[in-house]
Amino acid sequence: MNKWYQHLFVLLKKIGLLLFIYGVCRLLFYLFNQDHFSDISFTELIYLFVISIKFDLSVIILLNSLFIILWLLPIPFREKLSYQTFLKWLFIVPNSIGILANCVDLAYFQFTLKRTTADVFNFFGGEIGNDLGHLLPVFLVDYWYIFAIWIILTVILIRFYGKKEQKTSIWTKKVFGIQFLVFAAAIAVSILLYRGGFQLKPINAVDAAQYTSSKNVPFIISTPFSILKTLDLESIEPHTYFEKESDMASIYTPIQLAQKADFKKLNVVLIILESFSKEYIGAINQRKNGYTPFLDSLMKESLVFPNAYSNGKKSIEGLPSIVASIPTWMNEAYITSPYGSNQTNSIASLLKQEGYNSSFYHGGTNGTMGFDAFSHLVGYDNYYGRTEYNNEKDYDGNWGIWDEEYLQYTAKSMSQKQQPFFSTIFTLSSHHPFEVPKKYTGKFKEGDMPILKSVGYSDFALKRFFETAKQMPWFNNTLFVLCADHTGLSGDYFYSNLLGSHAIPIVYYMNNSNLKGIDSTVTQQLDIMPSILDYLNYPKNYFSFGKSVFDSTQTGNALTFNNNFYQFVEQDYVLQFDGTSTIALFNYKKDSTLKNNLMTIDKELVKRMEQATKARIQTYEQRLINNKMTTN
């Protein structure tokens, strides 16, 4: 084909090749995560595949922008072998990385229920990067098939890239003019495809909700699209829903007022259970043979909140929510965001003012997830990790020290603390790769998911911890709070949807106290800090994005953020909000599968819940941007 359009035609074939590979990745993504997308009919599946082409073209153009310009550049030199060899690798290398990103989410999506965003790059540097270097071989072994799929798709990319192009006819002024017009037209069309149409702003992930429910948005977009579209999210672009501060404050305020009753100097032990979904808890789900027999028994003597939700899907999102009442209502985790060094208060810093000593216990390798740096940042006096444990024979070979041995260490360590003290314990053995010590092989129920035996082991370690703690002189003067950092893998439809995937247990326990029973009030991780301080009758004002569960004047609620959508839960309803307008309202008590959208039926409820959501979002964004996250 030695015509004026041959160069353009070859380029279109290469873009077509990428569309085909992206389509294969999307099909695999659907097959790997079919339980999450089980509500998509065959007809809708075909429709979403067609719609996804628009989003794939956008990211393909963006990822190959330099290649397209250099390929179409109207100069004779483009026909040189060296130039075409350079272009070949300029095409293969970035696109193979894009394919790898798609392949990674075949497995990783089930942990976060969203496509990976640009904040993933925060894990490649600093102390957090050390985890990646150590765990990468483990992931490659466990998910070898993901790597194999990537190799196969990359080989296809190289194999069908094409051969060296034929020479264009002699470069006369006419030929050059035609080639220049082709170049200009192709660039203009490319810009249009990148933007996704003629609308005011280029398409983003949130635009996918025009074609399906927010739950299925990850099916339409690709991982390269998600990453590249969030690369510039270094700072929040604040929403202004309320012009008057007073109007917003009348709906929601993060300032918590001092208690007038006498302050109770109780010890506080906050136990964060890695990946402990509400789904796994037998007592909450009325399941006799659950995977957490000890936690089930403890709940009989505790105040339990079965309608509790995490404010994130990752440990680095859960930790600040729990200990400092700071959520991640944005695409980047608060800890790794530009606001991670903001002045804040936390349980540790506030109780320090009342004479408490505070400690953070996590058996992971020091620096894991940046927990040590964050704990010091928010006011903990001491951090105890794998280094401080100082006994490598109890190392699990992946993350850190086995829970059983490490929890025994924490119980004994706290006995050396002067009372009152505040301690946070973060377990780790129920994390991937979901192993248990060899001496316990076959001891714990496995169920249909590998995480379940690890949950059973961590529950056993928790039992041993309480057996030891009960022998300590500080036990009867201690408030224990137990919750999950986020949910884990799911084998149930409700616990896989956008609401159920945030459902966690939150438990308040104190020996020989009135903290007993089941409270159906909606609560969230953000409420843990103000609830602890309220129970202690904390005597000063403080800052918290949550509310105390012990405050009878408050209506319990929860606000989560995932896939660029907000979910506001209150009483029997959950409202889904895309940052601009409400897209759905469900009565999740009667409609657990979230299929019956009530937003056009109960408009008054929609308006009230939307205003409550907007007030929280705007307050959050303003406070982060202006570094006003304390009462000072």
Side-chain angles (χ1 to χ4, degrees):
M1 185 191 305
N2 193 19
K3 299 180 180 179
W4 64 267
Y5 54 80
Q6 72 174 31
H7 214 56
L8 180 60
F9 183 81
V10 173
L11 176 62
L12 292 176
K13 287 200 298 185
K14 298 184 190 306
I15 292 175
L17 172 63
L18 290 175
L19 283 173
F20 170 77
I21 293 176
Y22 272 59
V24 171
C25 288
R26 180 166 285 101
L27 178 59
L28 291 172
F29 180 75
Y30 172 77
L31 294 175
F32 273 73
N33 301 282
Q34 195 167 0
D35 288 342
H36 181 80
F37 302 111
S38 59
D39 60 332
I40 301 180
S41 66
F42 179 78
T43 304
E44 185 181 7
L45 186 67
I46 301 300
Y47 170 73
L48 295 182
F49 259 105
V50 174
I51 292 299
S52 68
I53 295 174
K54 175 180 179 179
F55 293 83
D56 286 348
L57 279 173
S58 177
V59 71
I60 287 171
I61 297 299
L62 181 60
L63 194 59
N64 293 276
S65 54
L66 180 59
F67 172 83
I68 292 171
I69 292 172
L70 295 180
W71 179 269
L72 293 174
L73 207 60
I75 54 173
F77 186 74
R78 74 185 188 192
E79 297 169 355
K80 297 289 186 179
L81 178 61
S82 58
Y83 187 81
Q84 290 198 17
T85 300
F86 168 75
L87 287 181
K88 178 179 180 178
W89 292 107
L90 182 61
F91 180 86
I92 291 171
V93 172
N95 285 301
S96 64
I97 294 173
I99 295 169
L100 176 61
N102 270 328
C103 290
V104 166
D105 264 354
L106 298 181
Y108 190 53
F109 174 80
Q110 61 186 305
F111 293 95
T112 63
L113 298 185
K114 71 173 185 178
R115 290 282 190 168
T116 298
T117 52
D119 63 349
V120 68
F121 295 115
N122 292 310
F123 289 86
F124 287 85
E127 295 176 325
I128 295 177
N130 295 333
D131 295 332
L132 185 69
H134 175 71
L135 293 169
L136 188 58
V138 178
F139 292 144
L140 289 178
V141 170
D142 283 358
Y143 296 107
W144 60 268
Y145 49 89
I146 300 296
F147 186 74
I149 291 171
W150 173 59
I151 293 294
I152 292 171
L153 292 176
T154 301
V155 169
I156 292 174
L157 182 72
I158 296 173
R159 172 66 179 81
F160 291 95
Y161 173 82
K163 301 178 181 179
K164 181 180 181 297
E165 291 303 308
Q166 299 178 23
K167 290 186 177 181
T168 306
S169 303
I170 298 174
W171 282 78
T172 62
K173 289 183 178 181
K174 180 179 179 181
V175 170
F176 179 84
I178 292 173
Q179 292 290 327
F180 180 81
L181 290 176
V182 170
F183 173 79
I187 296 301
V189 172
S190 295
I191 293 173
L192 184 64
L193 292 174
Y194 157 70
R195 291 178 54 82
F198 293 96
Q199 69 280 350
L200 186 61
K201 294 182 178 181
I203 56 173
N204 213 319
V206 70
D207 295 297
Q210 298 177 39
Y211 308 102
T212 186
S213 67
S214 54
K215 177 176 179 287
N216 297 328
V217 164
F219 178 87
I220 292 181
I221 65 174
S222 65
T223 304
F225 182 93
S226 179
I227 292 175
L228 291 176
K229 290 291 184 175
T230 55
L231 274 175
D232 61 344
L233 294 180
E234 296 182 355
S235 59
I236 293 173
E237 294 184 13
H239 296 88
T240 304
Y241 305 116
F242 303 88
E243 294 295 336
K244 294 182 179 180
E245 186 93 11
S246 58
D247 292 341
M248 181 172 65
S250 67
I251 300 173
Y252 172 78
T253 176
I255 305 301
Q256 315 301 317
L257 300 180
Q259 296 293 310
K260 296 180 180 180
D262 293 338
F263 180 70
K264 297 182 288 188
K265 285 201 170 186
L266 301 173
N267 304 310
V268 178
V269 175
L270 172 59
I271 303 176
I272 304 174
L273 301 167
E274 172 66 49
S275 302
F276 261 57
S277 299
K278 173 183 172 182
E279 177 181 356
Y280 310 150
I281 314 302
I284 296 180
N285 292 283
Q286 299 180 342
R287 186 189 302 121
K288 292 183 179 180
N289 299 314
Y291 302 94
T292 57
F294 172 73
L295 189 55
D296 291 351
S297 67
L298 186 69
M299 286 182 175
K300 295 177 181 178
E301 303 297 322
S302 307
L303 179 61
V304 180
F305 289 84
N307 292 325
Y309 298 92
S310 67
N311 293 104
K313 287 291 295 176
K314 302 174 185 176
S315 297
I316 58 171
E317 295 171 347
L319 181 59
S321 297
I322 296 167
V323 304
S325 196
I326 302 172
T328 296
W329 292 337
M330 54 183 171
N331 276 309
E332 189 166 0
Y334 171 78
I335 292 179
T336 54
S337 76
Y339 315 105
S341 60
N342 277 11
Q343 184 180 358
T344 62
N345 52 214
S346 69
I347 307 173
S349 67
L350 293 171
L351 290 182
K352 182 181 293 187
Q353 299 174 22
E354 304 305 313
Y356 279 66
N357 175 273
S358 58
S359 302
F360 190 99
Y361 295 91
H362 184 245
T365 302
N366 290 51
T368 292
M369 306 296 285
F371 285 170
D372 53 351
F374 178 75
S375 66
H376 290 303
L377 179 67
V378 296
Y380 283 87
D381 295 308
N382 305 106
Y383 176 88
Y384 299 92
R386 176 182 167 192
T387 299
E388 288 72 22
Y389 183 81
N390 195 29
N391 190 345
E392 289 299 287
K393 73 180 182 64
D394 296 327
Y395 176 52
D396 66 6
N398 295 298
W399 282 101
I401 307 302
W402 291 111
D403 278 351
E404 182 182 8
E405 287 76 14
Y406 189 75
L407 290 182
Q408 291 299 301
Y409 163 78
T410 63
K412 295 172 183 177
S413 174
M414 285 187 288
S415 295
Q416 300 172 12
K417 303 294 182 182
Q418 182 177 344
Q419 299 185 58
F421 59 78
F422 166 58
S423 296
T424 297
I425 305 171
F426 203 137
T427 68
L428 60 72
S429 292
S430 45
H431 200 293
H432 178 271
F434 311 129
E435 295 180 352
V436 299
K438 291 183 179 179
K439 62 182 178 180
Y440 292 131
T441 300
K443 176 179 175 62
F444 305 105
K445 292 175 58 178
E446 297 198 16
D448 55 359
M449 295 181 292
I451 191 176
L452 295 175
K453 67 177 184 295
S454 298
V455 168
Y457 166 71
S458 292
D459 179 75
F460 171 74
L462 192 63
K463 174 185 177 182
R464 296 264 291 109
F465 167 81
F466 271 89
E467 289 172 347
T468 301
K470 284 182 179 180
Q471 308 304 316
M472 303 299 179
W474 49 264
F475 181 79
N476 288 326
N477 192 46
T478 302
L479 169 67
F480 293 88
V481 183
L482 300 91
C483 71
D485 60 336
H486 57 77
T487 56
L489 303 177
S490 175
D492 181 273
Y493 185 84
F494 171 73
Y495 292 112
S496 300
N497 70 31
L498 288 178
L499 179 61
S501 62
H502 287 272
I504 61 169
I506 295 182
V507 179
Y508 296 84
Y509 168 78
M510 184 172 178
N511 194 39
N512 297 322
S513 74
N514 61 352
L515 290 175
K516 289 181 175 62
I518 304 294
D519 192 324
S520 60
T521 302
V522 174
T523 186
Q524 57 189 327
Q525 290 172 331
L526 298 178
D527 298 336
I528 290 174
M529 184 179 90
S531 298
I532 290 173
L533 297 175
D534 190 7
Y535 189 75
L536 299 179
N537 296 325
Y538 188 73
K540 299 173 184 175
N541 296 349
Y542 61 93
F543 185 96
S544 165
F545 283 109
K547 301 292 181 182
S548 170
V549 295
F550 302 112
D551 184 352
S552 59
T553 66
Q554 298 290 331
T555 301
N557 53 63
L559 180 62
T560 67
F561 178 81
N562 206 359
N563 287 321
N564 290 298
F565 295 96
Y566 302 89
Q567 283 193 124
F568 184 66
V569 189
E570 190 172 82
Q571 296 178 334
D572 296 351
Y573 295 90
V574 54
L575 178 134
Q576 296 179 347
F577 181 71
D578 67 5
T580 302
S581 58
T582 295
I583 59 175
L585 174 72
F586 302 101
N587 184 325
Y588 69 93
K589 291 288 184 68
K590 297 179 180 179
D591 176 25
S592 63
T593 56
L594 308 184
K595 291 184 177 180
N596 186 21
N597 191 342
L598 305 175
M599 63 176 291
T600 59
I601 298 174
D602 201 335
K603 295 183 179 179
E604 283 300 315
L605 180 60
V606 167
K607 181 179 179 180
R608 183 181 63 77
M609 293 184 70
E610 183 178 299
Q611 288 294 91
T613 304
K614 288 178 176 179
R616 284 160 173 77
I617 296 170
Q618 185 171 331
T619 300
Y620 174 76
E621 293 173 344
Q622 288 181 353
R623 292 285 183 166
L624 260 65
I625 290 170
N626 297 311
N627 197 8
K628 292 184 177 180
M629 299 168 63
T630 67
T631 56
N632 297 330

